[in-house]
Amino acid sequence: MNTSKIHSAYSEKLFHFILSKVKDEAISKDLLQEVFLKVHLKISSLKDDGKLKSWLFSIASNTVNDYFRKNKRGIQKTDIDDSNIEEGASKEIHSFKDCLIPHIKNLPPLYKEAVYLTDIKGIKQAAVAAHLGISISGAKSRIQRGRKLIQEGYMDCCNYKLDEKGYLVGEHKDQTECKVCN
């Protein structure tokens, strides 16, 4: 199979895949071109045509990760500066959501950035891993451990308990009684 046929068959799918990760159309087009340059140069290394699609998406995924690693675009260190984390405005009703940002602020730095980027900024874990310069499984571990610490914080601060399914349950304290928000 030659590169032009592969381009005709897969370019749109690869573009949408890249766009879903990068969130910028111009950059996605550039990365797509980079992917097809790599495909053109390495097509002879593909031994099994049945694995073409997975091979293409592996190249695209690696290209996106390289892009984030090189540019760290869209994920800036200042994103987690405490001055940029807005806490909920003073409300009459204090809910568990109002405590989330203070709990994230109290996390050890190792977990704070990973949790903030995924859970507050909505950045995909693969992009967070590339930004932090760690493996995807390493990023997932940091995020899970950070979330566990937040869960423990809610249990300590607000006397929440875990139900049989592992969900936090309980009544939230008033803001005046909250250890984290005061």
Side-chain angles (χ1 to χ4, degrees), residues 47-108:
K47 303 296 181 206
D48 183 2
D49 287 347
K51 296 183 180 181
L52 175 65
K53 185 176 180 179
S54 63
W55 183 70
L56 290 171
F57 279 90
S58 291
I59 292 172
S61 180
N62 290 336
T63 302
V64 168
N65 287 338
D66 289 345
Y67 166 77
F68 280 120
R69 203 174 354 268
K70 288 177 189 171
N71 297 295
K72 295 185 180 180
R73 185 179 178 109
I75 305 176
Q76 301 296 324
K77 270 288 197 215
T78 57
D79 283 345
I80 63 158
D81 181 14
D82 286 350
S83 64
N84 290 335
I85 300 177
E86 295 180 22
E87 295 186 41
S90 181
K91 299 177 187 176
E92 290 188 24
I93 300 174
H94 183 66
S95 75
F96 72 95
K97 291 178 184 177
D98 297 324
C99 295
L100 181 59
I101 296 297
H103 278 300
I104 291 174
K105 282 183 176 182
N106 289 333
L107 288 175

Side-chain angles (χ1 to χ4, degrees), residues 138-152:
K140 287 180 179 184
S141 291
R142 286 187 189 184
I143 293 162
Q144 287 176 340
R145 289 179 185 145
R147 287 174 179 165
K148 182 74 172 163
L149 289 171
I150 291 171
Q151 183 182 58
E152 290 170 2

Side-chain angles (χ1 to χ4, degrees), residues 114 125-126 128-129 132 134-144:
Q125 292 180 355
V128 171
L132 296 174
I134 58 176
S135 67
I136 293 174
S137 64
K140 287 180 179 184
S141 291
R142 286 187 189 184
I143 293 162
Q144 287 176 340

Side-chain angles (χ1 to χ4, degrees), residues 2 4-5 43 50 52 61 70 88-90 92 98 110 123 127 134 137 140 143 159-160 168-169 179:
N2 66 31
S4 63
K5 288 181 182 177
I43 191 70
L52 175 65
S61 180
K70 288 177 189 171
S90 181
E92 290 188 24
D98 297 324
L110 184 68
I123 296 172
I134 58 176
S137 64
K140 287 180 179 184
I143 293 162
N159 298 324
Y160 276 72
L168 286 173
V169 293
K179 295 176 191 174

